[in-house]
Amino acid sequence: MSGQSLLVPGELSPTRPVPGNIRRPEYVGKPAPTPYTGPEVQTPETVEAMRVAGRIAARAMAEAAKLIAPGVTTDELDKAAHEYMCDHGAYPSTLGYRGFPKSLCTSVNEVICHGIPDSTVLRDGDIVNLDVTAYIGGVHGDNNATYLVGDVDEESRLLVERTREALSRAIKAVKPGRQINIIGRVIESYAKRFGYGVVRDFTGHGINSSFHSGLIVPHYDSPHATTVIQPGMTFTIEPMLTLGTHEYDMWDDGWTVVTKDRKRTAQFEHTLVVTETGTEILTLP
């Protein structure tokens, strides 16, 4: 694995403004969102709105990813995604969610998820995950991907490639009538081929008008994930695979989750709607 030094927190820039005409999610300015009590199966109108939100989120992530290179700060990536979403009438869902201070998550190397963009400078050989969610039309679209920074070692490159493949295999396994634990079973069995850890405490989730509806989508084979998949359900799949342990520590910021052994980790995510025969990916650019 790359011999990069471990990450330390950087300096935060001021909160980026969102134009006043852009609709805010109900949780902005509150300590926590109102619990979701609606259905997991969505109407065609809601799904269509989620296509719009998902497309904007995917394009915002792509805009930020164009900047990824040694010497670029994670705050610069936040700025690019924030401006794209605002320019297209969307609110960056993470901004103000339970107090999160930025418009996307940037998780570098040993950071599993929820890294906060700041003055951290990307280095040649790093890997970085961008997690972008857009809110527009009263619904959210959520996606993430892990990118290579410059010349990345083979072990890290394969981890990224195989994590993307784990997501692809999981999406193909989703069929109406199956239990939701088929997703984690497929991911875990694939990851075990390579000796990777599969993060258990951070999961995929139901998503619609709520950022996190309460539906949990584990990425390991959980006997408790017995919800039956139905057409019209909307949720994310977002496997997090590690080069070592799945156990984690959290920074004092209350957000940044790092592998306990500080080995590298990768993640990929799409928002999906279940169809009569499989799925449609809602977060395609």
Side-chain angles (χ1 to χ4, degrees), residues 15-31:
T15 301
R16 303 191 196 284
V18 176
N21 64 317
I22 292 177
R23 178 179 172 184
R24 272 74 168 153
E26 59 82 24
Y27 53 74
V28 173
K30 296 164 54 178

Side-chain angles (χ1 to χ4, degrees), residues 188-211:
E188 187 171 41
S189 63
Y190 179 70
K192 278 183 173 179
R193 293 191 199 177
F194 312 105
Y196 295 153
V198 181
V199 172
R200 302 168 78 88
D201 293 275
F202 300 90
T203 68
H205 52 90
I207 183 170
N208 37 68
S209 60
S210 172
F211 194 171

Side-chain angles (χ1 to χ4, degrees), residues 6-215:
L6 297 179
L7 291 171
V8 295
E11 296 294 321
L12 286 181
S13 64
T15 301
R16 303 191 196 284
V18 176
N21 64 317
I22 292 177
R23 178 179 172 184
R24 272 74 168 153
E26 59 82 24
Y27 53 74
V28 173
K30 296 164 54 178
T34 302
Y36 178 71
T37 57
E40 297 299 344
V41 172
Q42 303 304 311
T43 66
E45 293 76 19
T46 296
V47 172
E48 178 55 35
M50 290 180 68
R51 286 190 186 97
V52 174
R55 190 157 50 241
I56 291 173
R59 290 175 177 171
M61 185 172 72
E63 283 299 305
K66 289 177 183 177
L67 302 179
I68 292 174
V72 173
T73 67
T74 54
D75 188 66
E76 290 175 80
L77 306 180
D78 181 79
K79 181 174 184 286
H82 177 95
E83 291 181 350
Y84 186 92
M85 284 185 274
C86 291
D87 287 348
H88 291 81
Y91 185 91
S93 300
T94 60
L95 185 62
Y97 179 78
R98 296 183 182 271
F100 192 85
K102 292 295 174 181
S103 299
L104 81 165
C105 301
T106 49
S107 299
V108 181
N109 295 346
E110 69 268 22
V111 179
I112 295 171
C113 56
H114 304 158
I116 300 174
D118 58 18
S119 61
T120 296
V121 176
L122 296 177
R123 302 161 296 182
D124 187 59
D126 283 343
I127 60 175
V128 57
N129 178 275
L130 306 185
D131 193 338
V132 181
T133 310
Y135 178 80
I136 187 172
V139 297
H140 301 267
D142 185 4
N143 67 162
N144 77 56
T146 302
Y147 299 88
L148 310 181
V149 184
D151 185 16
V152 175
D153 67 272
E154 180 76 354
E155 186 179 38
S156 299
R157 187 188 64 76
L158 284 173
L159 174 69
V160 171
E161 180 181 301
R162 290 164 177 166
T163 306
R164 183 190 293 110
E165 175 65 16
L167 172 61
S168 177
R169 290 175 180 235
I171 291 171
K172 290 173 183 173
V174 175
K175 305 287 184 189
R178 291 180 171 178
Q179 292 183 344
I180 213 157
N181 58 12
I182 186 66
I183 293 167
R185 189 173 307 137
V186 166
I187 291 168
E188 187 171 41
S189 63
Y190 179 70
K192 278 183 173 179
R193 293 191 199 177
F194 312 105
Y196 295 153
V198 181
V199 172
R200 302 168 78 88
D201 293 275
F202 300 90
T203 68
H205 52 90
I207 183 170
N208 37 68
S209 60
S210 172
F211 194 171
H212 299 88
S213 73
L215 176 67

